[in-house]
Amino acid sequence: KKKKWSKGKVKEKLTNMVMFDKSTYDKMMKEIPKAKLITPAVVSERLKVNGSVARLAIRHLEEKGLIESVGEKHHAGIIFTRKIGGAD
């Protein structure tokens, strides 16, 4: 009897947004700077947006001075954390 191959595990497709709408943008501005660890993966997971959108969001927050980089700057591993003892 010939062994039947299993069809393998089917990963469910993520239907993430490719642009920010108003509500998602507001949510990002409110929630993400409070997170301890901020990476594109975390942002993408939280806000259900694309990875590229998540990277842009992180860059945007950094320019506004809401978050700061951790360790050395590296083009691939973008790791940020919230600003500690900032303007407040």
Side-chain angles (χ1 to χ4, degrees):
K1 193 170 181 307
K2 200 169 167 218
K3 185 181 181 299
K4 289 222 166 50
W5 284 90
S6 71
K7 290 279 190 284
K9 290 197 172 75
V10 179
K11 185 170 178 270
E12 63 185 64
K13 198 95 170 84
L14 289 172
T15 49
N16 286 351
M17 296 191 297
V18 291
M19 283 169 85
F20 276 124
D21 52 23
K22 184 85 177 86
S23 62
T24 319
Y25 179 79
D26 293 339
K27 189 175 172 192
M28 174 204 53
M29 293 308 274
K30 204 169 78 206
E31 281 184 20
I32 304 300
K34 291 194 180 87
K36 213 172 232 165
L37 173 72
I38 303 163
T39 63
V42 172
V43 176
S44 167
E45 181 68 30
R46 284 257 186 98
L47 304 175
K48 296 277 173 274
V49 292
N50 241 335
S52 52
V53 178
R55 284 199 304 275
L56 281 169
I58 288 175
R59 240 174 268 145
H60 177 70
L61 287 169
E62 188 194 13
E63 277 166 23
K64 284 205 180 306
L66 295 168
I67 60 178
E68 58 185 19
S69 179
V70 175
E72 289 179 21
K73 272 266 170 54
H74 191 273
H75 69 94
I78 311 172
I79 305 172
F80 285 85
T81 189
R82 58 179 181 227
K83 266 263 166 63
I84 300 157
D88 38 68

